[in-house]
Amino acid sequence: QVQLVGSGGGSVQAGGSLRLSCAASTNINSRYCMGWFRQAPGKEREGVAAIGAVTGKTSYADPVKGRFTISQDNAKNTVYLQMNGLKPEDTAMYYCAADPVPCLVTLDHIPEYPHRGQGTQVTVSS
């Protein structure tokens, strides 16, 4: 069973950048779909981005398209979320998550992935 450790959150001003990392305890190449979801206080969990296990297909939520990029380094068993042009509405706890193959990269499914990290806080000030 894969263990995930998320990191890289912090406080930035609007327009700034952060890179979140998610280190997996086992080989994820072609074995897991990987994704990020977020949850702000008082709001529902929201799938942000995902990357497919075999094809590497990516999916992004509309609010982050063109600003966030998900990538995967199989040599390091690590998934990244590069976040540029951050906005105050991006403020949330961010969680990485994994779903073993066969898996889906649909955004609604990401918060339901069976494996997730502990969360890393992102705060964007205006």
Side-chain angles (χ1 to χ4, degrees), residues 78-122:
T78 299
V79 175
Y80 302 98
L81 186 68
Q82 178 67 44
M83 306 186 295
N84 299 328
L86 283 162
K87 303 176 181 180
E89 51 263 43
D90 295 318
T91 295
M93 187 71 78
Y94 284 71
Y95 300 85
C96 64
D99 193 16
V101 295
C103 49
L104 300 173
V105 293
T106 51
L107 295 171
D108 289 346
H109 192 65
I110 299 169
E112 306 302 324
Y113 282 5
H115 309 291
R116 65 186 63 174
Q118 81 281 14
T120 185
Q121 178 67 38
V122 172

Side-chain angles (χ1 to χ4, degrees), residues 43-63:
K43 294 190 175 181
E44 297 287 323
R45 295 178 302 176
E46 176 187 25
V48 174
I51 185 165
V54 177
T55 66
K57 176 185 176 182
T58 56
S59 297
Y60 295 95
D62 285 343

